[in-house]
Amino acid sequence: GNSVTQMEGPVTLSEEAFLTINCTYTATGYPSLFWYVQYPGEGLQLLLKATKADDKGSNKGFEATYRKETTSFHLEKGSVQVSDSAVYFCALRGGGGADGLTFGKGTHLIIQP
Amino acid sequence: NAGVTQTPKFRVLKTGQSMTLLCAQDMNHEYMYWYRQDPGMGLRLIHYSVGEGTTAKGEVPDGYNVSRLKKQNFLLGLESAAPSQTSVYFCASSYIAASGGYNEQFFGPGTRLTVL
């Protein structure tokens, strides 16, 4: 079956530091890949997505590239802000029809001023 | 547009009680989903629906039932609540892509349920 593995946190960085959150996946076929962000007390919001190999998703300074050869979708940002503190989930959607998303366990990111 | 809304936001139940969680979306989406979120577990799919009148089991369906009588609503029922069902429940919806690709899901704010 499908699975997503992402680095466990918490990850603590100083403001303006470079961020990488690793995500690797196992899936049959050609899944679509997503990063969602969850701020305290809120639901999940889509941060970015990529639907085929070599696609790069980007939003709000975050980027991730769909690497089929390494089955990875690592999240990066060049200079983090305190407001980026949240839980980040890597997810995939694959197979046929309207199956739900398969999520990683989430990475808690803490940015210190 | 309100997007995806969930009712109630919080609930405390005693073991054995029943309740229904309501999810509503105003985006005319075909697909709707129920997930539960537990610490260190990410989100896990409970049930989903591909259209009005249809439902299907997800990864963790035991102890839950669902109904989709109207396109915009998706109900999650707990017939006899157990402490293991203490969790945060999220509803999500999604639309059919013209290209056939897989689209993102839009999430509600969640319902925090405690079963004593």
Side-chain angles (χ1 to χ4, degrees), chain B residues 26-70:
Chain B
D26 61 1
M27 297 175 283
N28 201 35
H29 286 172
E30 290 293 331
Y31 307 146
M32 295 187 76
Y33 307 83
W34 277 108
Y35 294 88
R36 60 178 288 172
Q37 182 182 29
D38 301 296
M41 297 290 292
L43 277 77
R44 292 179 292 169
L45 182 65
I46 304 171
H47 286 279
Y48 65 99
S49 168
V50 301
E52 184 178 324
T54 70
T55 63
K57 293 180 179 180
E59 180 185 356
V60 288
D62 293 343
Y64 305 94
N65 57 76
V66 289
S67 63
R68 183 106 180 263
L69 299 180
K70 294 182 178 180

